[in-house]
Amino acid sequence: MKLYDYGMAPNPRRVRIFLHEKGIEVPRETIDITRREGRTKEFLAKNPMGGIPVLELDDGTCISESVAICRYFEALHPEPPLFGATPEEIGEVDMWVRRLELNLMVPVGLVWIHGHKLTAHLLDQNPATAEFGRARTHAFYDILDKALEGRDFIACNRFTAAETVALPTLDFACQLVGVPYKDDHTNIKAWHDRMSARESAGA
C-alpha cells in the first residue's frame, strides 16, 4: 500500500490528518504537482484525473479523491468513528463534509485559479470569477461562524471528518489564497485555533 502525496496541497493534507487521528501509518511517495508529475503517463494510469492524493493498494487498485480514501480507511479501522457512529451522526458528518467542499473549497479554488499570480500561467484568468469565488467564500464564513456558536467541533461534538476537510481548506484560503475569515468571525477563529493546536494539524 502506498499513498501518493504532496506536502503543500490541501487535499492530501486532509488524508494525512485523518490517518494521524486514526493512528494509521501508510508509506507515502511525493508527487510534485509543480513539476506536473501528476500528468505523466505512468501517474495518469493510476488516476486519469491527474490529481492527488491517490492510494495504491497492494493489488494495484488505485483509489483517488481524499474523502473516498478516508472512507476506505474508516471501513478498515472503524475506531475512532470519524464519519459518525450512528445514522444521525453519519448524516450530520456527511452533510458538513459536502457543505465544506461545495461552499468553501470550490469557491476558494475559483479565487486560487482565477485570482492568484501563481496560477496565472495555467489559463486566461477571469477576475470576475475570482470575485464571485471570494463573495461565496465570505458568505459561507458567515454560515459556518453561526453554526460553530457554542460548539467545539463542526459536527457530533467531537473531532470528525468535517474537521479534516475544514482545517486544510481554511489554512489554504487564509495563508495562500488570500481569502481569510473576518475578525468578527470569532467562532471560526476559536475553532481554527483549537484544531491548529492538535498534533494531527502538523501531519
Side-chain angles (χ1 to χ4, degrees), residues 29-148:
E29 180 176 325
T30 297
I31 297 296
D32 190 341
I33 56 177
T34 67
R35 297 184 177 183
R36 298 184 62 82
E37 291 180 0
R39 302 297 173 175
T40 65
K41 180 179 179 181
E42 292 76 16
F43 191 77
L44 289 173
K46 302 178 188 300
N47 179 12
M49 304 301 293
I52 53 170
V54 174
L55 178 68
E56 185 172 8
L57 306 184
D58 292 343
D59 66 358
T61 299
C62 290
I63 302 171
S64 60
E65 307 303 335
S66 59
V67 173
I69 293 170
C70 292
R71 280 285 189 186
Y72 172 83
F73 283 111
E74 179 91 342
L76 281 180
H77 305 277
E79 297 295 331
L82 298 189
F83 279 98
T86 66
E88 291 80 7
E89 287 185 355
I90 292 168
E92 185 180 3
V93 173
D94 278 356
M95 173 183 73
W96 275 107
V97 166
R98 187 69 170 159
R99 284 176 174 175
L100 289 159
E101 289 196 316
L102 290 177
N103 299 289
L104 186 60
M105 189 65 184
V106 168
V108 167
L110 292 177
V111 181
W112 169 244
I113 293 170
H114 287 281
H116 201 283
K117 62 181 181 181
L118 291 181
T119 56
H121 68 285
L122 297 177
L123 75 168
D124 292 329
Q125 291 182 322
N126 185 335
T129 299
E131 287 308 307
F132 172 76
R134 196 179 303 276
R136 285 286 305 274
T137 300
H138 283 296
F140 185 70
Y141 283 153
D142 291 339
I143 293 170
L144 181 60
D145 191 72
K146 185 176 181 179
L148 282 168

Side-chain angles (χ1 to χ4, degrees), residues 151-162:
R151 299 177 65 95
D152 289 335
F153 300 96
I154 295 173
C156 301
N157 290 317
R158 65 175 184 277
F159 191 98
T160 69

Side-chain angles (χ1 to χ4, degrees), residues 12-13 24 45:
R13 187 176 171 218
I24 301 169

Side-chain angles (χ1 to χ4, degrees), residues 181-200:
Y181 48 84
K182 298 177 181 178
D183 291 342
D184 59 0
H185 290 135
T186 55
N187 297 317
I188 295 179
K189 177 65 165 60
W191 174 91
H192 197 187
D193 288 346
R194 288 192 299 272
M195 296 309 107
S196 298
R198 294 177 75 94
E199 187 176 318
S200 61

